[in-house]
Amino acid sequence: MNIFAAFEERIGEALATLTRAGHLPEGLDLGRVVVEPPRDPSHGDLATNAALVLAKEARANPKALAEVLAAELRQDPRVTEASVAGPGFLNLRLAPEVYGDVVRAALRAGDAFGRGAKRPGLVNVEYVSANPTGPMHVGHGRGAVFGDALANLLAASGRDVVREYYINDAGAQVDVLARSAFLRYREALGEDIGTIPEGLYPGDYLKPVGQLLAERHGRALLDMSEREWLPLVRDTAIDAMMDRIREDLAALGIRHDVFFSERTLQDGNGGAVARLIDALRARDLVYVGRLPPPKGQLPEDWEDRDQTLFRSTAYGDDIDRPLLKSDGSFTYFASDIAYHASKVARGANELIDVLGADHGGYVKRMQAAVRAVSNGRAELDVKLCQLVRLLRGGEPVKMSKRAGEFVTLREVIDEVGRDPVRFMMLYRKNDATLDFDLAKVVEQSKDNPVFYVQYAHARAASVFRQAREAFPDADLSPEALAGADLSLLSDSGEAEIMRLVAQYPRVVETAGSAHEPHRLAFYLYELASAFHSFWNKGKDLPQLRFVNQTDRKLTLSRLALVAALRGVLASGLGILGVTAPDEMR
């Protein structure tokens, strides 16, 4: 039961009534009409912008239109007050029984409460896609958690979702990986390799790969030329790194549906990249020309030459983009176009890429490419995840991947646990820098959001343990509690919890459509805070305690509220990939 969607429909009906009565013209576009919680809860339960967004098209004064709409909505028995505010906002106050109906709906729906109806279309969410050249670091973890929670959120909103990882297993960086692994292979055979040469990966994480190569090949690789051993070592090293990455992701509860190899785009007769360029050329979207020099100081590798270019400006980009390097090999952009064309060919009409903040310059060109290869049928949203500053007690934790002395994501998970990593990675908007303090995220205090939310769920579970002791014969199933007399819930703290429970379906819907899972994390903290506040009131006022042995009827009513809250907390935490414990250890 989504009361916001229900009242959007009700407002649509009211506007249709006003149209039939001649107060409004036919054919108004209601697409921008929204119903949402007021910014100030004291203004009411719902707010709508209907009069504001329709006034110009209806050639009406916004406040006058809002007054007419308010008069129509006051006839609804669910509305106890309809008032106009500001330039034409309409605030509605609802009858208490509306929220009682929401609590009953939540109890009866169980896990389905807040979930959206099935919607057509396929969403491809690509996230992590870390180069398989070493272990994952904390920055990778932020993108991994964000992408996974977003995929969960979209699925909860009714979308069909594919979770994808793009393996960058082509190009120079994996050849460097192979040469680095070959050095560790020589070390595993007993050779003193000395200091790792500049340009190779120095981390000890490649020692097991060297050992594996020694076990598989003995000394045979030493008798081969680099041209012979490089592909063998490269494949072994990539597989080993991807196995490690999958293990790290599994420790975060993350599993992908598809692992797509970049190398497959270039295999075969010319490869998918070459075929795509030919297809774009046939549509006059590829041409030979010269680009203007970049603004500011010219890069050292700048070449003023004829290039094979994609007409990305025809689809909203700032400049056209090269497809071939000076040596005739494909640019990264060319491979990326072919890769996204593959997503479209596999049925995706909505594409989401979760990338690091250093990919800001990638956004416009790839959005243009997706519009081109899909003929406008698909759209790409690129979500950039800003840096993570790793702290311990407020002091920076030094990381240096170049020196092979960085803190891996797995080390962080092992130290603080999966739940703090996931929740805190989502408790800040993705495009803002995140401070992740290894000491703070395990504190048992209100200042630690993940603890505070999980503690609310555990407290809710403890209420039921108390209730079973006080009333061992009572049926405390959700079905039975849905029949409780919820009109007895008259305290302002109870009303606040019911109001927030009613917002859950809307939070899932809007967070999913905006691609912003942090909204759900914020909401869960607000809901937990309301529950803890009412719990604390019960310490001072015994009549407000959830379990009252002298009032069975009121106890059952409050248990219905607690059960609904507990279900929402468990559902929301599940979407974020965080456990909902019944006890805190």
Side-chain angles (χ1 to χ4, degrees):
M1 181 180 180
N2 186 335
I3 62 171
F4 298 91
F7 272 87
E8 277 188 18
E9 185 177 336
R10 176 67 186 91
I11 288 169
E13 293 169 354
L15 292 168
T17 299
L18 295 175
T19 300
R20 289 192 296 270
H23 295 294
L24 292 173
E26 298 277 356
L28 290 178
D29 179 11
L30 306 185
R32 291 184 297 149
V33 173
V34 297
V35 177
E36 58 191 356
R39 291 185 179 179
D40 184 346
S42 68
H43 292 166
D45 298 301
L46 307 176
T48 180
N49 64 348
L52 280 171
V53 299
L54 297 176
K56 184 176 181 180
E57 189 180 356
R59 297 182 180 179
N61 177 278
K63 291 191 74 170
L65 178 55
E67 290 288 0
V68 174
L69 181 57
E72 178 66 28
L73 291 173
R74 289 186 190 111
Q75 300 177 43
D76 192 315
R78 298 171 296 175
V79 177
T80 60
E81 183 184 334
S83 58
V84 179
F89 285 105
L90 180 56
N91 294 322
L92 305 178
R93 199 174 299 278
L94 304 181
E97 52 265 29
V98 173
Y99 288 112
D101 290 342
V102 172
V103 170
R104 292 188 186 90
L107 292 173
R108 289 172 178 144
D111 292 342
F113 181 67
R115 306 279 166 151
K118 193 71 176 175
R119 295 163 56 189
L122 179 66
V123 187
N124 181 294
V125 185
E126 180 209 329
Y127 54 107
V128 188
S129 298
N131 288 340
T133 54
M136 294 176 64
H137 56 65
V138 180
H140 293 136
R142 187 176 192 186
V145 169
F146 176 87
D148 196 57
L150 177 55
N152 292 343
L153 192 56
L154 291 166
S157 302
R159 306 303 302 275
D160 190 9
V161 180
V162 170
R163 304 154 191 264
E164 186 150 322
Y165 187 118
Y166 184 48
I167 305 174
N168 298 113
D169 55 1
Q173 83 277 3
V174 288
D175 287 344
V176 173
L177 173 69
R179 295 186 181 99
S180 305
F182 188 76
L183 197 64
R184 295 298 187 178
Y185 160 72
R186 288 163 44 198
E187 182 181 42
L189 293 176
E191 183 178 332
D192 182 4
I193 60 173
T195 303
I196 304 297
E198 185 74 20
L200 297 185
Y201 296 115
D204 287 349
Y205 60 83
L206 285 174
K207 286 185 176 181
V209 181
Q211 188 63 43
L212 178 62
L213 289 166
E215 292 170 1
R216 286 185 179 177
H217 300 283
R219 305 183 66 83
L221 298 179
L222 298 177
D223 297 327
M224 298 182 185
S225 66
E226 180 178 288
R227 183 179 60 81
E228 294 173 308
W229 63 249
L230 187 68
L232 298 174
V233 174
R234 182 177 57 208
D235 288 351
T236 299
I238 290 172
D239 288 347
M241 289 298 99
M242 286 306 304
D243 285 345
R244 182 165 182 169
I245 287 171
R246 286 186 179 94
E247 290 174 3
D248 291 348
L249 292 174
L252 275 177
I254 296 173
R255 287 175 175 79
H256 290 80
D257 302 313
V258 175
F259 284 85
F260 191 100
S261 164
E262 178 186 3
R263 203 186 312 173
T264 61
L265 296 170
Q266 300 175 18
D267 290 343
N269 184 21
V273 183
R275 292 192 296 273
L276 177 77
I277 292 175
D278 288 343
L280 292 174
R281 186 179 284 111
R283 294 169 55 194
D284 195 30
L285 294 178
V286 173
Y287 69 101
V288 175
R290 295 196 174 201
L291 290 175
K295 295 179 181 178
Q297 185 176 358
L298 290 179
E300 293 182 4
D301 59 353
W302 163 252
E303 295 180 87
D304 184 15
R305 62 180 178 85
D306 285 340
Q307 299 189 68
T308 300
L309 303 171
F310 167 62
R311 296 187 191 277
S312 52
T313 52
Y315 294 90
D317 198 3
D318 297 326
I319 61 171
D320 292 339
R321 304 288 178 175
L323 298 175
L324 296 177
K325 301 176 185 176
S326 57
D327 63 1
S329 63
F330 300 121
T331 61
Y332 286 116
F333 178 56
S335 294
D336 285 340
I337 301 177
Y339 171 48
H340 286 74
S342 162
K343 296 182 185 182
V344 174
R346 287 181 273 138
N349 63 325
E350 184 178 347
L351 280 58
I352 302 171
D353 289 357
V354 180
L355 302 172
D358 56 338
H359 287 76
Y362 169 99
V363 177
K364 277 192 174 181
R365 71 187 70 176
M366 281 315 308
Q367 289 175 333
V370 168
R371 292 187 194 107
V373 299
S374 69
N375 290 311
R377 296 190 305 273
E379 286 293 329
L380 169 67
D381 184 18
V382 179
K383 309 302 290 188
L384 300 177
C385 290
Q386 276 291 347
L387 300 176
V388 178
R389 290 195 291 248
L390 193 63
L391 309 172
R392 191 187 303 278
E395 295 298 320
V397 176
K398 293 182 180 180
M399 293 185 293
S400 174
K401 185 171 183 177
R402 187 177 188 84
E405 297 172 352
F406 59 94
V407 179
T408 67
L409 174 63
R410 187 57 178 269
E411 288 172 321
V412 173
I413 298 169
D414 290 345
E415 179 172 338
V416 303
R418 184 181 91 179
D419 289 345
V421 172
R422 289 196 65 120
F423 195 95
M424 296 309 298
M425 291 288 183
L426 298 167
Y427 200 65
R428 193 163 180 83
K429 193 174 180 183
N430 60 284
D431 59 4
T433 300
L434 172 69
D435 287 344
F436 189 94
D437 195 308
L438 295 164
K440 294 289 185 182
V441 299
V442 294
E443 283 184 358
Q444 295 195 352
S445 73
K446 182 180 180 179
D447 296 330
N448 179 7
V450 61
F451 167 79
Y452 202 57
V453 175
Q454 289 183 312
Y455 188 34
H457 187 274
R459 269 187 161 175
S462 75
V463 170
F464 276 84
R465 290 194 292 270
Q466 295 171 30
R468 291 187 186 97
E469 291 179 5
F471 303 102
D473 62 325
D475 184 353
L476 303 184
S477 66
E479 297 79 7
L481 291 175
D485 183 1
L486 301 182
S487 67
L488 299 176
L489 304 177
S490 57
D491 185 83
S492 60
E494 294 165 326
E496 172 70 0
I497 293 172
M498 286 193 285
R499 182 182 68 82
L500 287 168
V501 166
Q503 289 182 19
Y504 181 60
R506 180 181 181 275
V507 170
V508 172
E509 179 185 8
T510 57
S513 61
H515 301 164
E516 293 184 342
H518 73 275
R519 296 190 188 192
L520 178 56
F522 290 174
Y523 162 81
L524 293 174
Y525 185 86
E526 186 179 5
L527 179 61
S529 182
F531 178 64
H532 289 308
S533 294
F534 190 71
W535 176 288
N536 292 332
K537 285 174 71 174
K539 290 180 180 179
D540 300 325
L541 302 171
Q543 68 271 24
L544 294 182
R545 291 174 185 169
F546 292 107
V547 177
N548 187 331
Q549 289 183 306
T550 64
D551 195 334
R552 182 187 183 104
K553 191 174 182 182
L554 178 58
T555 295
L556 292 175
S557 300
R558 286 185 175 148
L559 289 175
L561 179 59
V562 174
L565 170 136
R566 182 185 178 189
V568 168
L569 287 173
S571 175
L573 286 170
I575 290 172
L576 299 183
V578 178
T579 59
D582 287 342
E583 294 182 88
M584 300 297 286
R585 302 291 184 182

